[in-house]
Amino acid sequence: MTAADWKLDRGFIGSSGEVRWSVLGAPEAPPVVLVHGTPFSSYVWRAPARALAARFRVYVWDLPGYGASEMRPGQRVDLDSQSRVLTELLDHWGLGPGGPAPAVVAHDFGGAVALRAHLLHRAAYSRLALVDPVALAPWGSPTYRLLAEHGDVFRQLPGELHEALVHRYISSCSHPGLRPDIHARLVAPWLTEAGRDAFYRQIEQNDQRFTDDIQGRYGELDLPVLVCWGAEDTWIPVDRGRELAAMVPGAGLRIIEGAGHLVQEDAPAELTGALLEFLGSRDGG
């Protein structure tokens, strides 16, 4: 897949609606599952996914309420619902109990999704890489909290003001700045009628209690863990990465200079190199 033709060609009906997904790499290769965050989609994983597919069987998917997956009124898209969908997908793919345990690589709130699936829903992983994850309280920028508290008000914004808000919000995820074509691709899902409602819905439903449930259990993680962080992340400061790595027994920490929160776009080569080293090592270090 190239950036221009990134498409998810398969579907799965889970507990939160239809999930669009795809897979790259040889069927016999070790499995790797990539989990995106908000307000993004699997599109942000396209460069690492193609590189990893030379050595791994790489599963990519859009979480319910995001990208090409189903968006609908009343849909449950909170962090626990997403973690249940991840667990359902792993079973659908034959990964985990009864099959090979995958490595999981998760970004932003995908980190909380992956952690909840493993710690609360018994999803089995061979190893776990967390990239600028939502994992430690408190989280949520002042803007994010304002949107969460007043979603009904922001839904009434005229179309051009909603579009300007989404453009500005997404632009702040990058330190050097996003290429115009990439920026447009990341913004586009939220500018449709369904996407506009979905944008505020996913913010309204995400609550710190979903990480409070598990934050005290990170010391129980008994698998190789790597924490990657953009040194210039303004959404979640890099000190959170150091704190998280210190909480997980034996966790590695890789700080990527010059990258903001969306490391996949700011430093794809450096991130992919760190992931290849981690996924290919015997001890996960």
Side-chain angles (χ1 to χ4, degrees):
M1 298 182 190
T2 65
D5 67 6
W6 183 262
K7 293 179 182 177
L8 304 182
D9 57 357
R10 309 188 190 194
F12 168 75
I13 304 299
S15 55
S16 287
E18 184 185 20
V19 172
R20 300 301 300 175
W21 65 278
S22 193
V23 61
L24 300 78
E28 66 276 8
V32 174
V33 176
L34 304 181
V35 188
H36 69 81
T38 184
F40 311 113
S41 70
S42 62
Y43 177 74
V44 301
W45 282 120
R46 67 197 180 283
R50 291 196 305 268
L52 293 173
R55 293 172 54 185
F56 300 95
R57 179 79 162 167
V58 182
Y59 294 82
V60 292
W61 57 296
D62 285 353
L63 279 68
Y66 294 79
S69 289
E70 183 176 354
M71 299 178 177
R72 58 175 167 78
Q75 187 177 26
R76 295 307 306 173
V77 293
D78 59 79
L79 291 172
D80 188 61
S81 297
Q82 302 287 12
S83 68
R84 293 178 187 275
V85 172
L86 172 56
T87 307
E88 294 164 0
L89 271 174
L90 295 177
D91 182 64
H92 177 68
W93 293 330
L95 304 178
V104 173
V105 181
H107 174 245
D108 183 73
F109 94 161
V113 170
L115 286 163
R116 286 186 68 91
H118 181 67
L119 291 169
L120 300 182
H121 305 309
R122 300 184 179 179
Y125 310 152
S126 62
R127 57 188 62 210
L128 175 63
L130 299 167
V131 183
D132 296 64
V134 171
L136 300 177
W139 54 267
S141 67
T143 298
Y144 192 92
R145 290 193 293 270
L146 183 66
L147 291 170
E149 292 168 6
H150 303 287
D152 287 344
V153 175
F154 283 98
R155 281 187 175 88
Q156 299 176 46
L157 287 174
E160 63 272 17
L161 291 183
H162 166 75
E163 183 172 345
L165 183 155
V166 175
H167 275 286
R168 181 66 187 89
Y169 182 51
I170 287 181
S171 69
S172 67
C173 70
S174 171
H175 177 62
L178 297 168
R179 272 178 24 199
D181 59 325
I182 293 170
H183 179 97
R185 180 70 181 258
L186 296 179
V187 167
W190 306 117
L191 302 185
T192 67
E193 183 175 349
R196 177 188 176 117
D197 190 47
F199 179 78
Y200 297 110
R201 183 184 307 116
Q202 52 90 15
I203 295 175
E204 287 171 330
Q205 291 187 22
N206 285 326
D207 189 282
Q208 188 175 293
R209 64 189 172 89
F210 293 115
T211 52
D212 290 344
D213 287 347
I214 56 174
Q215 184 169 327
R217 298 184 58 181
Y218 297 157
E220 300 174 22
L221 292 169
D222 186 21
L223 75 170
V225 174
L226 175 67
V227 177
C228 290
W229 220 280
E232 309 300 331
D233 188 341
T234 58
W235 284 19
I236 313 177
V238 68
D239 284 348
R240 292 297 179 87
R242 298 186 179 97
E243 183 181 354
L244 177 61
M247 296 173 69
V248 179
L253 175 64
R254 184 71 64 90
I255 296 174
I256 300 178
E257 298 297 330
H261 186 69
L262 196 55
V263 186
Q264 301 98 317
E265 299 294 347
D266 287 359
E270 292 87 344
L271 176 61
T272 301
L275 294 176
L276 282 168
E277 180 181 347
F278 172 67
L279 297 172
S281 67
R282 291 186 177 181
D283 60 1

